[in-house]
Amino acid sequence: MNTLYNKHILLGITGSIAAYKSAELTRRLKELGADIRVVMTTSATRFITPLTLQALSGHPVNTDLLDTDAEAAMGHIELARWADLILVAPASADFLARLTAGRANDLLSAICLASYSPIAVAPAMNQGMWENKATQDNINTLQQRDIHFMGPGHGSQACGETGAGRMIEPEQIIARTLPLFTSGALSGKKIIITAGPTREAIDPVRYISNHSSGKMGFAIAEAAANAGADVTLVCGPTQLTAYPDSIQRIDVITASQMYQSVMDNLSDCDIFIASAAVADYRPGLQAVNKIKKQHDEMQLRLVKTPDILASVASQTDAPYTVGFAAETENVLEYARKKRQKKGIDMIVANKVGPTSGFNQDNNELDVIWQEGHIHLNLNSKKTLARDLIQIITEKINAIDTTQNTGLKTR
Ligand code: C5P
């Protein structure tokens, strides 16, 4: 079973006798397919060795905020962006206090402060510490900030006392972790997503294409499927694997094939997201044989490819349409104009640059619709995909509500 395949989980371990259970937790999370990076506080290393967790996670364990070697390999901001979920188990009373206060005085709390990803904690402490008003106030504050609490359990404790404060068992933590990656927010909705580049042949050995990796579109497909949608992913040539298995993947090569494939699947589609970098032009004629090198100059006649996004948007009963705009300058202005020109509901603009855009794991987006705009800070494409799906879900729900009440349509 690979339920957590492709999920990046940063496992934080703090100083508690329950830290020995984190070894089993790491093993189980790995078994479910998750990629685990372990960050330990100094006191956690007194209970269980980093070497154990390194062996189980398959990655070096990070412990020190000021370790230049570790920072050079994967720095604390990079770890914060990498994580789809930060799971702190065990979470000590002191760690909860640091998290509440927004401290960044050690690696784990600094990562939590810098991250936009969900955080879950499995508390472990003496029952008196748990009951204490200070801890309870911290818990209230953290819950208001949407920190997920897993436990604690109730029973006899290592110190000999009995009460609430035991870390729940690894199996119970896993059972509470799985739902954090899924929701039914888009269940019953059919979504078509285009992703990756297209290839337009010049002759049997050459083609016109672009640097698109397909990572953004695949991340959107995963986020949509995890939200319960019925997802069809129409993708150009890419090395990527679509996950989860429920995604219906259709591989194409050219813009015309992508157009045809989208049109063939469009009936009952609720949302269309065009993240593919479709070639705008293709060679007018594809040479049957390899073109020989002859003259100093040669001319290639190009003809326009069908605009898939604009075509979908112009259908009667069009789905909610979302396009992408990769720009190198004046991002917002160009994107707004493009949204109107193509007649689409929403456009997602990104600046193509050295740290975001094509072939990168990170991106920075501006999401623009008729009445508003939201900026999504530089983050992993997977996190941005989840945020984008959430924004689209809110828009779809608003449309469904207004249509049902007959107030207004989009
Ligand atoms: O017009 P431009 O290529 O800049 O627009 C980008 C947006 O339009 C992207 O969402 C892209 O997937 C979509 N597009 C399309 N078909 C084309 C060209 C672009 O769907 N032929």
Side-chain angles (χ1 to χ4, degrees):
M1 209 173 43
N2 256 355
T3 352
L4 289 176
Y5 174 78
N6 210 18
K7 304 289 184 284
H8 293 174
I9 300 182
L10 188 139
L11 177 64
I13 307 179
T14 70
S16 157
I17 180 63
Y20 77 92
K21 293 185 191 174
S22 308
E24 175 64 8
L25 180 60
T26 306
R27 197 186 63 75
R28 288 287 297 123
L29 289 168
K30 282 278 287 183
E31 241 171 39
L32 290 170
D35 194 0
I36 309 287
R37 298 269 174 172
V38 178
V39 172
M40 300 175 74
T41 62
T42 309
S43 36
T45 63
R46 310 278 287 273
F47 290 96
I48 183 166
T49 70
L51 195 60
T52 306
L53 277 309
Q54 174 172 326
L56 289 168
S57 68
H59 294 291
V61 170
N62 296 59
T63 51
D64 192 353
L65 185 56
L66 305 175
D67 177 344
T68 42
D69 288 343
E71 280 288 301
M74 200 170 189
H76 65 287
I77 298 297
E78 216 176 326
L79 281 168
R81 300 286 167 270
W82 173 88
D84 296 324
L85 170 73
I86 297 177
L87 171 61
V88 184
S92 66
D94 187 62
F95 173 75
L96 294 183
R98 294 206 303 281
L99 193 59
T100 310
R103 298 291 304 268
N105 58 331
D106 68 345
L107 181 62
L108 184 57
S109 51
I111 289 171
C112 290
L113 195 63
S115 177
Y116 302 105
S117 298
I119 300 177
V121 293
M125 65 196 73
N126 164 269
Q127 55 86 26
M129 288 177 160
W130 175 257
E131 301 291 346
N132 192 292
K133 178 93 172 55
T135 305
Q136 289 301 315
D137 284 351
N138 290 340
I139 293 161
N140 279 335
T141 306
L142 292 173
Q143 281 173 335
Q144 279 165 28
R145 289 185 205 153
D146 292 332
I147 305 289
H148 302 275
F149 274 78
M150 302 176 170
H154 191 280
S156 63
Q157 301 200 302
C159 53
E161 296 181 9
T162 302
R166 282 166 61 118
M167 185 171 93
I168 57 171
E169 296 305 315
E171 278 309 317
Q172 295 171 298
I173 295 177
I174 302 266
R176 286 166 172 73
T177 301
L178 294 175
L180 297 180
F181 288 102
T182 54
S183 81
L186 283 179
S187 67
K189 301 286 182 200
K190 177 176 167 184
I191 305 194
I192 302 179
I193 297 162
T194 64
T198 62
R199 263 183 208 168
E200 313 300 330
I202 298 171
D203 66 17
V205 294
R206 305 181 179 96
Y207 56 79
I208 298 174
S209 192
N210 57 66
H211 293 298
S212 168
S213 62
K215 284 179 184 168
M216 193 68 225
F218 275 62
I220 294 170
E222 181 175 340
N226 286 337
D230 169 7
V231 179
T232 301
L233 177 63
V234 183
C235 53
T238 147
Q239 303 294 321
L240 302 176
T241 306
Y243 190 81
D245 296 337
S246 61
I247 294 173
Q248 192 208 344
R249 173 179 178 156
I250 302 173
D251 286 286
V252 296
I253 296 177
T254 66
S256 300
Q257 288 170 354
M258 189 172 271
Y259 172 85
Q260 201 50 53
S261 187
V262 168
M263 291 304 163
D264 289 348
N265 286 280
L266 204 56
S267 67
D268 301 330
C269 176
D270 298 290
I271 303 167
F272 175 63
I273 306 177
S275 71
V278 186
D280 292 325
Y281 293 90
R282 65 173 173 80
L285 277 179
Q286 180 189 337
V288 179
N289 295 310
K290 185 180 170 192
I291 300 170
K292 292 287 174 210
K293 184 163 47 179
Q294 286 173 329
H295 309 293
D296 284 350
E297 286 186 9
M298 75 167 277
Q299 291 207 341
L300 205 54
R301 193 178 68 86
L302 300 176
V303 295
K304 245 187 176 170
T305 57
D307 191 317
I308 307 167
L309 179 55
S311 307
V312 170
S314 67
Q315 305 281 312
T316 37
D317 259 352
Y320 190 83
T321 42
V322 182
F324 273 72
E327 305 287 355
T328 51
E329 54 181 348
N330 297 335
V331 178
L332 276 179
E333 187 194 329
Y334 287 161
R336 284 201 171 100
K337 283 188 183 147
K338 193 172 286 185
R339 193 191 75 80
Q340 283 180 335
K341 191 167 152 225
K342 296 207 184 221
I344 58 176
D345 295 292
M346 179 182 279
I347 196 146
V348 183
N350 66 295
K351 191 163 181 176
V352 179
T355 55
S356 62
F358 281 149
N359 230 335
Q360 310 269 349
D361 287 327
N362 292 338
N363 217 347
E364 185 172 354
L365 303 176
D366 283 290
V367 185
I368 302 158
W369 57 97
Q370 189 170 342
E371 308 81 11
H373 155 234
I374 193 167
H375 180 80
L376 300 177
N377 288 328
L378 185 70
N379 216 323
S380 73
K381 288 185 175 172
K382 284 176 69 175
T383 303
L384 291 169
R386 269 202 317 240
D387 292 347
L388 182 61
I389 285 297
Q390 197 179 332
I391 296 168
I392 294 171
T393 305
E394 283 164 18
K395 298 280 163 268
I396 293 286
N397 288 344
I399 291 165
D400 285 351
T401 311
T402 49
Q403 281 178 345
N404 288 340
T405 54
L407 287 176
K408 164 168 120 10
T409 55
R410 77 169 181 263

